């Protein structure tokens, strides 16, 4: 870290994560619940997602700040913004597989699978209250997190045990997930 950097200096970080080697074909999910509906969606294990041109998809990149420390935030990014982050139960999987939420930003958890029951279980949260709630088609779950999480938290569905997603909650905007081709960008980082 460059300790002499001025907080007024900002830059963007762009990159691409690539998987080397042969990841093979993702294993198909053994659909054993709501088989008639869920088996129509060609579900595969998303633990390791290799996309276009061997890009590593759904990886988190974020600024990790030691406990009790903070990072300067660019003036354009100080407020979490009014955008609602959306985690959907869709096609018997969570969409998106990785999701970013800033403290104070609303998270809406939906169920787009008509006639199929889902729950959303976030028991691996360390700093925010854990939850495990049913989500119906007409009543989304709404959450706002007040504290940053040091690591991504697993989100699961107990009804359909193959369903997993990962939630990263940070108190600053300096985070990204990789796209299908492994690319990511974090804008307006403080120098150093």
């Amino acid at each position: 870290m460059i300790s002499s950097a001025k907080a007024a200096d900002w830059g963007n970080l762009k990159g691409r994560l690539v998987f080397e080697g042969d990841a093979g074909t993702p294993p198909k999910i053994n659909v054993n619940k709501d088989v008639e509906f869920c088996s129509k969606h060609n579900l595969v294990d998303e633990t390791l997602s290799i996309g276009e041109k061997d890009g590593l998809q759904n990886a988190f990149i974020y600024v990790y700040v030691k406990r009790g420390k903070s990072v300067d935030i660019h003036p354009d990014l100080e407020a979490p913004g009014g955008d609602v982050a959306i985690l959907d139960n869709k096609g018997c999987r969570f969409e998106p597989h990785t999701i970013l939420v800033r403290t104070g930003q609303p998270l809406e958890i939906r169920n787009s699978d008509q006639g199929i029951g889902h729950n959303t279980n976030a028991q691996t949260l360390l700093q925010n209250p854990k939850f495990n709630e049913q989500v119906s088609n007409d009543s989304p779950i709404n959450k706002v997190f007040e504290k940053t999480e040091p690591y991504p938290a697993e989100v699961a569905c107990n009804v359909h045990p193959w369903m997993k997603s990962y939630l990263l909650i940070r108190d600053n905007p300096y985070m990204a997930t990789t796209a299908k081709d492994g690319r990511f960008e974090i804008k307006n980082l403080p120098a150093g």
Side-chain angles (χ1 to χ4, degrees), residues 116-186:
I116 302 296
H118 290 292
N119 78 313
T120 303
N121 184 343
Q123 294 298 308
T124 61
L125 294 170
L126 300 174
Q127 302 299 319
N128 292 283
K130 299 167 179 17
F131 63 93
N132 184 3
E133 299 177 32
Q134 292 293 119
V135 58
S136 66
N137 300 122
D138 56 354
S139 245
I141 299 169
N142 294 294
K143 298 288 179 187
V144 176
F145 304 100
E146 299 302 325
K147 296 180 180 176
T148 195
E149 292 284 339
Y151 306 105
E154 182 182 88
V155 178
C157 174
N158 299 112
V159 179
H160 305 95
W162 63 82
M163 289 179 61
K164 303 253 187 291
S165 183
Y166 296 88
L167 167 68
L168 180 63
I169 304 164
R170 304 297 292 167
D171 60 2
N172 67 70
Y174 302 121
M175 55 186 164
T177 61
T178 54
K180 287 182 181 180
D181 63 358
R183 294 188 191 282
F184 67 90
E185 180 176 14
I186 301 176

Side-chain angles (χ1 to χ4, degrees), residues 26-89:
K28 289 191 178 273
I29 295 296
N30 177 24
V31 176
N32 54 11
K33 181 77 174 166
D34 296 314
V35 176
E36 188 174 315
F37 178 81
C38 294
S39 62
K40 293 190 282 188
H41 296 286
N42 193 28
L43 300 168
V44 297
D45 186 334
E46 296 179 270
T47 302
L48 178 63
S49 296
I50 308 302
E52 301 165 5
K53 299 180 183 175
D54 296 325
L56 181 60
Q57 184 179 354
N58 295 322
F60 289 104
I61 295 90
Y62 58 100
V63 172
Y64 184 84
V65 181
K66 290 182 181 179
R67 186 181 294 196
K69 301 289 183 181
S70 62
V71 62
D72 291 335
I73 297 176
H74 189 277
D76 293 346
L77 304 174
E78 285 181 1
D83 292 342
V84 174
I86 297 171
L87 179 62
D88 199 358
N89 291 263

